Amino acid sequence: MASRIADTPEEWEVTATSTPFQGNKTGVRTDQVVMPDGSVVGRDYQTHPGSVAILALDDQDHVLVLSQYRHPVREKLWEIPAGLLDVPGENPLAAAERELYEEAHVKAEDWRVLVDVYTTPGGSDEAVRIFLARQLSEVQGERFEVAEEEADMELARVPLEELVRGALAGQLHNNCLVVGCLALNAALSSGGGLGALRHAQAPWPARPFDPR
C-alpha cells in the first residue's frame, strides 16, 4: 500500500534568475522567488546534473565499498560506487552499470531501485538514485584506468550489519552509503522484503529519462 505521506510537485514564481558561477559539472544559481506573503527573496543554490550510486550486495550479504579522499571535508571516506549523470537524459541504470565497472571492475545481473533522495534540497537541486545490485561477478579484461583521487582508492567488502552499526555510531558519513545501507536494512526487515523494491527502470521524476 502506498503511503499517504508523499512529496508533491510545486513551483513558486521566479521573477528573475542569474548564474554567478558555472563550473564543468555544477554551478550556482540565484533565483528571485515570490513568497506566500508577496515578498520577493533571493535564493542561492547549487545546480547539479544528478547522480547514481550502487549498493552492491554479494551472496554473503557483504557490501562493496571503497575509500576515497574528499577534499571539501578533508577526510578519506568509505563510500559505495557512485557517479554523475554526465549526459542530459542519460538512463540512470546504464550510468550505474558503468560506474560499478569503472570503480570496482564488477558487474551485476540483478538490479533494483533502492531509494531516491535529494542530498541537500535546501541548497542544491542534486538528486541521487541509489540502486541495489546483486548477483555480482568480476568483469573480464583490463581494468578501467583511474586518475586523481580515484588512483588512491581502496576496495573492500564489508558485512551490511557492520556498516549499519558504523553509520549509527557516527563512524561513517558518506550520504549514499549511510542512506543506502539503512534503506536496505529496512527493506530486509519489512514484510515485502527485497521483492517489494521498484524495478530498475522505475520512473524518476527528479531526473526524467528514456527507459530504452
Side-chain angles (χ1 to χ4, degrees), residues 87-101:
V87 180
E90 183 176 20
N91 187 302
L93 177 58
E97 291 172 331
R98 180 187 68 240
E99 292 298 333
L100 186 60
Y101 159 67

Side-chain angles (χ1 to χ4, degrees), residues 55 57-58 60-63 114 132 134 159-161 164 180-197:
L55 197 153
L57 187 70
D58 68 17
Q60 286 74 47
D61 288 337
H62 287 54
V63 177
L114 185 55
L132 173 64
R134 295 185 294 167
L160 173 64
E161 60 183 19
V164 171
C181 288
L182 295 180
L184 177 57
N185 194 56
L188 290 168
S189 303
S190 69
L194 300 185
L197 295 175

Side-chain angles (χ1 to χ4, degrees), residues 111-181:
W111 290 83
R112 297 272 183 152
V113 174
L114 185 55
V115 67
D116 297 328
V117 295
Y118 291 115
T119 56
T120 49
S124 173
D125 67 357
E126 181 183 8
V128 180
R129 168 158 282 189
I130 304 177
F131 288 93
L132 173 64
R134 295 185 294 167
Q135 300 178 25
L136 309 181
S137 61
E138 297 290 327
V139 177
Q140 301 301 314
E142 295 185 6
R143 290 184 175 271
F144 181 79
E145 185 175 348
V146 296
E148 299 175 348
E149 290 93 343
E150 293 183 349
D152 191 43
M153 286 195 309
E154 176 186 352
L155 293 173
R157 296 196 183 200
V158 181
L160 173 64
E161 60 183 19
E162 182 177 336
L163 295 173
V164 171
R165 287 197 303 268
L168 296 178
Q171 298 170 336
L172 299 170
H173 305 92
N174 175 262
N175 185 300
C176 291
L177 182 147
V178 171
V179 171
C181 288

Side-chain angles (χ1 to χ4, degrees), residues 17 26 51 59 67 142 157 187:
T17 187
T26 66
S51 307
D59 294 338
S67 178
E142 295 185 6
R157 296 196 183 200

Side-chain angles (χ1 to χ4, degrees), residues 34-99:
V34 180
M35 298 288 112
D37 63 1
S39 63
V40 178
V41 178
R43 289 289 179 259
D44 303 321
Y45 59 99
Q46 179 195 33
T47 57
H48 194 284
S51 307
V52 292
I54 307 96
L55 197 153
L57 187 70
D58 68 17
D59 294 338
Q60 286 74 47
D61 288 337
H62 287 54
V63 177
L64 194 157
V65 294
L66 51 91
S67 178
Q68 185 170 349
Y69 175 67
R70 294 302 188 183
H71 187 71
V73 296
R74 307 302 198 272
E75 289 189 29
K76 198 168 186 180
L77 303 180
W78 284 103
E79 308 178 350
I80 57 177
L84 298 176
L85 291 170
D86 295 316
V87 180
E90 183 176 20
N91 187 302
L93 177 58
E97 291 172 331
R98 180 187 68 240
E99 292 298 333

